[in-house]
Amino acid sequence: MEPPKSRAPNIRDVARLAGVSYQTVSRVLNDAPSIRPSTRARVLEMIEKTGYRPNQAARALVTSKSRTIGVLMAQTANYGPTTSLHGIEDAARDAGYFVTTMTLHKPDVESIKAGLEHLTGQAIEGLVVIAPQVRVFDAFRKLDLSIPIVTLDSTAGHGPRSLSVDQIAGAKLATRHLIDLGHTEIVHLAGPQDWIEAEARMTGFLEAVGEADLRTHPPFLGDWTADFGYRAGWELTRFRDFTAVFAGNDQMALGLIHAFRAGGLDVPGDVSVVGFDDIPEARHFWPPLTTVHQNFAELGRRSVALLLGEVGGDGGTEQEQILPELRVRESTAPPRAQR
Amino acid sequence: MEPPKSRAPNIRDVARLAGVSYQTVSRVLNDAPSIRPSTRARVLEMIEKTGYRPNQAARALVTSKSRTIGVLMAQTANYGPTTSLHGIEDAARDAGYFVTTMTLHKPDVESIKAGLEHLTGQAIEGLVVIAPQVRVFDAFRKLDLSIPIVTLDSTAGHGPRSLSVDQIAGAKLATRHLIDLGHTEIVHLAGPQDWIEAEARMTGFLEAVGEADLRTHPPFLGDWTADFGYRAGWELTRFRDFTAVFAGNDQMALGLIHAFRAGGLDVPGDVSVVGFDDIPEARHFWPPLTTVHQNFAELGRRSVALLLGEVGGDGGTEQEQILPELRVRESTAPPRAQR
DNA sequence: TCACGAAATGTGAACGTACACATCGCCAAC
DNA sequence: GTTGGCGATGTGTACGTTCACATTTCGTGA
């Protein structure tokens, strides 16, 4: 039994016990070449015996590498960002990195600057951003920090490196599905105006509608929540000049359907609804929701790969895109007139 | 313009420019007393001018305080844990702390040990655990690390310090609601067997059923997912020897309702369903779900307060409980016979 | 047997900060 | 005018590690 009061063992303690110099212990730790197997074994044994753990702070001080990745994310409990975060942590840990997260209360430049200072104070080696608000990117452009950054869930052209599920393609997929069913009056319930994803989905929607030469309804600008979808649904029910709605995400779709049903509209009988994200619950909504699936965890994992690749070598601007998939379920059907 | 190649400014650079010693700069940084206001101003000005940021690694090395809180969490995108995490980060940042998260793939002792080593290597000052599996706690007991720990979402008696929404009380609330409506044949769709929350909700359910002297149906053991709820719903539909189900969480309740409807059972006409958690979507389910509300964000914030309090002074074992609330909506009604 | 080179190991410094203690200057009280 | 005391500031050192370079050890061929 060790006296519990004493400080943690350091590299010199281990060295003394193993009868070698501290540098030799350091070599074993960083598995450098030219170490006699017997020496390595002895050192390893003493490390085990003393319960020695290298002090990360000291390491970071001398190497100025913290082996930490920062994640800046919007404060949302939504499925997508959260799942991506888990993907990031998975990949980071596999690569021996730590993950320090930082949530943003509000997307204003002030908060972002504060968050970033907090994070860079930690000497992070790279940053993943899962807060795809336009304002966040504007803030970044002003700050130009010197570490590699990868942005998630955004579309091309906004950051130095970005990785995303192709939101425009996904939105087109969803909209064309409605058009193919025979719908001509389609409303889009969009996400918050300053979210890049929302913008991209809107773009995809408008492109698809434009290509089919349909009337363009003014979009609703929401906030991603089911509550908002519900309120929007009430508004929409008053007009009834549409037969289908493309919702910016599954939660808003859920609220919409709720309001439609409360207002006496049948889904998909009177109106078809498509969502976006394919959260695990979407298939159990009533009716099961037709939506666009994206692989968030994969996104997170690949963002780390991209980041760590950049930490080493460096290339130019790169953008990777993952293709989303349409999942047709029971919330969509041909409009009444067709049937 | 500075030559961008040079290293980051350190405390001595600032001192030189301000014409004082590095120690004086250090005093300004840690706002120690006995600094002439004019000196402080001059130092502050130079800090601003050079863009100096204190090096956290050096600080951590000398003080052996990292100003970092570790969070160990189960790899789940569920609303509850995620929201609590945001609460933790909020409170931590307000207190000037960093948060390093660590997700657990599997709840085995091996993973936990690895995760903990990863985390303690970072010299965290405290740990919040949002992975309320029984096995996780067993692992902790074996490890007995020397830093303060607060566990979340668990019930009394498992950790040194725990903070929780009283799950037993919540489960009793839900079950009594069903009993008060006149139900006598109630089934419980529980969470995974080794989750402490699941255990507690089951306990609350059994107590309420016992107090009312009702027949005890064997519970179903699920995995928190809507998919499982759906499969369980199919199973249950075959028997139909019950009039109400208390689901361990909202997602499972959703799947259940889906299966019931597919099987020709009306909710709440033929069977009442109660959930747990009150995720933001629950009120938009069809029918809107009666469930038990818990304030996850508050839980997270208070866990940090508890932890940081402990980092300073120390007291004995403490347990705090937050009371949950029943939210009655439209998925519950008296059984057919009563009406 | 000796010298030589490579393998194996050791020594001195540096990273940037905070703590303990030393010193300086100044004013008031005697 | 000296002394004490306190406010303000400076100096030395330690934290635990890695890097650059120096030194020792060992096997090998002449």
Side-chain angles (χ1 to χ4, degrees), chain B residues 10-183:
Chain B
N10 65 20
I11 201 172
R12 292 185 140 90
D13 296 327
V14 174
R16 199 175 330 108
L17 261 64
V20 295
S21 77
Y22 56 84
Q23 177 56 17
T24 301
V25 177
S26 173
R27 275 191 262 261
V28 170
L29 290 173
N30 299 286
D31 45 35
S34 307
I35 291 274
R36 197 185 317 231
S38 65
T39 309
R40 145 174 277 119
R42 198 147 27 91
V43 169
L44 252 24
E45 187 192 337
M46 287 310 155
I47 288 176
E48 179 74 19
K49 188 172 169 188
T50 54
Y52 165 78
R53 304 274 108 202
N55 182 317
Q56 292 292 336
R59 252 187 191 171
L61 179 58
V62 68
T63 61
S64 59
K65 295 216 178 306
S66 60
R67 298 197 73 73
T68 297
I69 291 175
V71 176
L72 191 70
M73 73 183 297
Q75 185 158 17
T76 162
N78 280 356
Y79 176 74
T82 307
T83 307
S84 291
L85 178 61
H86 289 318
I88 289 169
E89 291 191 327
D90 252 28
R93 183 171 53 241
D94 287 350
Y97 275 74
F98 299 93
V99 173
T100 293
T101 53
M102 172 88 244
T103 52
L104 243 39
H105 303 257
K106 292 169 290 176
D108 54 33
V109 181
E110 228 26 62
S111 292
I112 296 163
K113 266 182 79 172
L116 240 37
E117 295 223 335
H118 193 75
L119 232 34
T120 51
Q122 192 74 302
I124 54 170
E125 290 184 41
L127 182 66
V128 180
V129 182
I130 326 184
Q133 282 118 318
V134 174
R135 270 175 286 179
V136 174
F137 285 94
D138 288 347
F140 274 114
R141 221 166 291 145
K142 287 204 190 82
L143 259 47
D144 93 306
L145 30 173
S146 50
I147 53 169
I149 302 180
V150 171
T151 59
L152 236 60
D153 294 332
S154 76
T155 48
H158 279 97
R161 295 260 173 151
S162 74
L163 187 66
S164 60
V165 173
D166 188 335
Q167 306 290 323
I168 296 179
K172 284 174 109 166
L173 233 44
T175 312
R176 283 213 202 98
H177 168 63
L178 293 171
I179 294 170
D180 290 347
L181 284 171
H183 292 277

Side-chain angles (χ1 to χ4, degrees), chain A residues 53 56 76 86 89-90 93 97-98 101-103 105 117-118 121 227 251 258 261 281 284 286, chain B residues 53 56 76 86 89-90 93 97-98 100-103 105 117-118 121 227 251 258 261 281 284 286:
Chain A
R53 304 273 108 204
Q56 292 291 338
T76 163
H86 289 318
E89 291 191 326
D90 252 28
R93 183 173 51 240
Y97 275 75
F98 298 93
T101 53
M102 173 87 244
T103 51
H105 304 256
E117 296 222 334
H118 193 75
D227 283 349
Q251 280 86 356
H258 181 197
R261 181 159 27 224
E281 288 78 31
H284 299 292
W286 186 250
Chain B
R53 304 274 108 202
Q56 292 292 336
T76 162
H86 289 318
E89 291 191 327
D90 252 28
R93 183 171 53 241
Y97 275 74
F98 299 93
T100 293
T101 53
M102 172 88 244
T103 52
H105 303 257
E117 295 223 335
H118 193 75
D227 284 349
Q251 280 86 356
H258 181 198
R261 181 157 28 225
E281 288 78 30
H284 299 291
W286 186 250

Side-chain angles (χ1 to χ4, degrees), chain B residues 161-239:
Chain B
R161 295 260 173 151
S162 74
L163 187 66
S164 60
V165 173
D166 188 335
Q167 306 290 323
I168 296 179
K172 284 174 109 166
L173 233 44
T175 312
R176 283 213 202 98
H177 168 63
L178 293 171
I179 294 170
D180 290 347
L181 284 171
H183 292 277
T184 53
E185 304 293 334
I186 307 173
V187 174
H188 179 41
L189 181 53
Q193 201 170 1
D194 78 326
W195 281 60
I196 292 174
E197 286 172 312
E199 189 187 302
R201 290 174 195 175
M202 170 105 69
T203 302
F205 168 76
L206 292 175
E207 283 183 15
V209 164
E211 285 165 11
D213 234 8
L214 302 179
R215 179 156 84 96
T216 305
H217 289 256
F220 270 65
L221 297 177
D223 64 1
W224 297 136
T225 68
D227 284 349
F228 183 89
Y230 184 69
R231 290 196 298 274
W234 275 113
E235 284 292 312
L236 282 167
T237 307
R238 295 214 320 250
F239 299 105

Side-chain angles (χ1 to χ4, degrees), chain A residues 20-217:
Chain A
V20 295
S21 76
Y22 55 85
Q23 177 58 14
T24 301
V25 176
S26 174
R27 275 191 262 261
V28 170
L29 289 173
N30 300 287
D31 46 35
S34 306
I35 290 272
R36 196 187 316 237
S38 64
T39 310
R40 147 175 277 120
R42 197 146 28 92
V43 169
L44 251 24
E45 186 192 338
M46 286 309 154
I47 287 176
E48 179 74 20
K49 188 172 168 189
T50 55
Y52 166 78
R53 304 273 108 204
N55 182 317
Q56 292 291 338
R59 247 184 197 174
L61 179 58
V62 69
T63 61
S64 58
K65 296 217 178 305
S66 59
R67 297 197 76 72
T68 297
I69 291 176
V71 176
L72 191 69
M73 73 183 297
Q75 184 158 19
T76 163
N78 279 357
Y79 176 75
T82 307
T83 307
S84 291
L85 177 62
H86 289 318
I88 290 170
E89 291 191 326
D90 252 28
R93 183 173 51 240
D94 287 350
Y97 275 75
F98 298 93
V99 173
T100 293
T101 53
M102 173 87 244
T103 51
L104 243 39
H105 304 256
K106 293 169 292 178
D108 54 33
V109 181
E110 226 28 59
S111 292
I112 296 163
K113 267 182 77 173
L116 240 37
E117 296 222 334
H118 193 75
L119 232 33
T120 50
Q122 192 74 303
I124 54 170
E125 289 183 42
L127 182 66
V128 180
V129 181
I130 326 183
Q133 283 117 319
V134 175
R135 270 175 286 178
V136 175
F137 286 94
D138 288 346
F140 274 115
R141 221 165 292 145
K142 287 203 190 83
L143 259 47
D144 93 306
L145 30 171
S146 50
I147 53 169
I149 303 181
V150 171
T151 59
L152 235 62
D153 295 332
S154 76
T155 48
H158 279 97
R161 296 260 174 151
S162 72
L163 186 67
S164 59
V165 173
D166 189 336
Q167 306 290 322
I168 295 180
K172 283 175 108 165
L173 233 45
T175 312
R176 282 214 202 97
H177 168 63
L178 292 171
I179 294 171
D180 289 348
L181 285 172
H183 292 276
T184 54
E185 303 293 335
I186 307 172
V187 174
H188 179 40
L189 180 53
Q193 200 170 1
D194 78 325
W195 280 60
I196 291 173
E197 286 173 312
E199 190 186 302
R201 290 174 195 175
M202 171 106 69
T203 303
F205 167 76
L206 291 175
E207 283 183 16
V209 164
E211 286 165 11
D213 233 7
L214 301 180
R215 178 157 86 94
T216 305
H217 288 257

